[in-house]
Amino acid sequence: MDEIRQEFLDIVAQVRTHLEYQRALGVRSLETGTATAARPAEIPEAPRPEAAQTETAAQVPVAAGLAAVRDELGTCSRCKLAKGRKTIVFGEGNPEAVLVFVGEGPGYEEDQQGRPFVGAAGQLLTDIIVKGMQLKREDVYICNIVKCRPPNNRNPEPDEVDACIGFVKKQIAAIRPAVIVTLGNVPTQSLLGTKQGITRLRGTWQEYNGIPVMPTFHPSYLLRSPGEKGKAWEDIKLVMKKLGMPVSEKK
Ligand code: SF4
């Protein structure tokens, strides 16, 4: 009996992740195969992680929630990174995304343009999303642990992460994605509250506030170590499976 129940729960989980994926692509109705179901049926609102719901101050629309987080950030000078930045790089993408990528911090190009992951590493992330996952960048949401560029692209320091991480947590609470991908050591360790390194954690499911988290290598590391791209693709395939997406072997 337990086996049947588990099988049923697995099927429900697979259907749910598939519907969440379809919803991320903008599908709002489904046709079924029966005569009466030639009519489109409404896709039920995908359940969002409960813990993330409780973190949202009020049941406000997602975009409004993100806008409120941006308003709260303001012209932030909560840490020393404010001095050297040109632009605050808040994040961009689908405010109702089922998939959120969290990076470390803006680099030179991101600081110039005010957009996350637009430099060389950003191009690789875009390739992973577009060529690998067969999605559009606009389907997902992309942000960083710190919103201002660390000088000389150094890692953000602990006091800077402490000052800024509340905002990425609020972004996640507003979006309530089905899956988070953390890119590299800094976002993985700071979001999960662990000291374990990315080499050990990548490819293993972790959890943040009830949301499955897949740590993988940062694209800038993959540019320096292209031999590791295969491992990153394995991680992304796990994410696609979790979201009920068709998986190809293409890298
Ligand atoms: S990194 Fe974050 S906390 Fe620091 S100044 Fe920029 S927005 Fe504020």
Side-chain angles (χ1 to χ4, degrees), residues 73 76-79 81-82 85 88 146-148 160 163-164:
L73 191 61
C76 185
S77 56
R78 291 171 178 84
C79 82
L81 293 180
R85 73 165 181 242
I88 291 178
V146 295
K147 313 298 187 199
C148 302
E160 296 157 358
C164 209

Side-chain angles (χ1 to χ4, degrees), residues 194-217:
T194 179
K195 291 196 186 314
Q196 290 195 13
I198 190 67
T199 308
R200 174 174 284 231
L201 288 177
R202 63 143 287 274
T204 65
W205 283 109
Q206 306 294 320
E207 193 177 289
Y208 165 75
N209 262 8
I211 305 172
V213 176
M214 175 53 66
T216 193
F217 293 126

Side-chain angles (χ1 to χ4, degrees), residues 168-238:
V168 81
K169 288 182 174 178
K170 287 178 182 178
Q171 286 172 293
I172 291 168
I175 298 167
R176 289 176 290 144
V179 172
I180 297 167
V181 174
T182 50
L183 301 165
N185 263 326
V186 171
T188 302
Q189 292 177 336
S190 39
L191 206 57
L192 299 179
T194 179
K195 291 196 186 314
Q196 290 195 13
I198 190 67
T199 308
R200 174 174 284 231
L201 288 177
R202 63 143 287 274
T204 65
W205 283 109
Q206 306 294 320
E207 193 177 289
Y208 165 75
N209 262 8
I211 305 172
V213 176
M214 175 53 66
T216 193
F217 293 126
H218 194 282
S220 59
Y221 170 76
L222 295 176
L223 289 176
R224 295 193 303 273
S225 310
E228 301 283 57
K229 282 184 184 175
K231 290 181 187 165
W233 178 236
E234 292 303 316
D235 304 342
I236 294 299
K237 284 198 292 188
L238 292 174

Side-chain angles (χ1 to χ4, degrees), residues 54-134:
T54 59
E55 210 174 293
T56 315
Q59 292 301 313
V60 290
V62 170
L66 278 177
V69 180
R70 182 64 191 88
D71 282 351
E72 186 185 343
L73 191 61
T75 52
C76 185
S77 56
R78 291 171 178 84
C79 82
K80 56 187 182 294
L81 293 180
K83 282 190 196 142
R85 73 165 181 242
K86 178 181 176 198
T87 325
I88 291 178
V89 182
F90 181 65
E92 68 179 22
N94 182 353
E96 296 186 37
V98 293
L99 177 58
V100 169
F101 288 91
V102 182
E104 187 176 297
Y108 175 79
E109 279 301 329
E110 290 77 14
D111 182 52
Q112 293 293 307
Q113 297 185 36
R115 298 180 55 214
F117 283 93
V118 289
Q123 185 54 55
L124 180 53
L125 179 62
T126 303
D127 284 349
I128 290 169
I129 294 165
V130 176
K131 295 180 184 167
M133 304 185 80
Q134 306 286 306

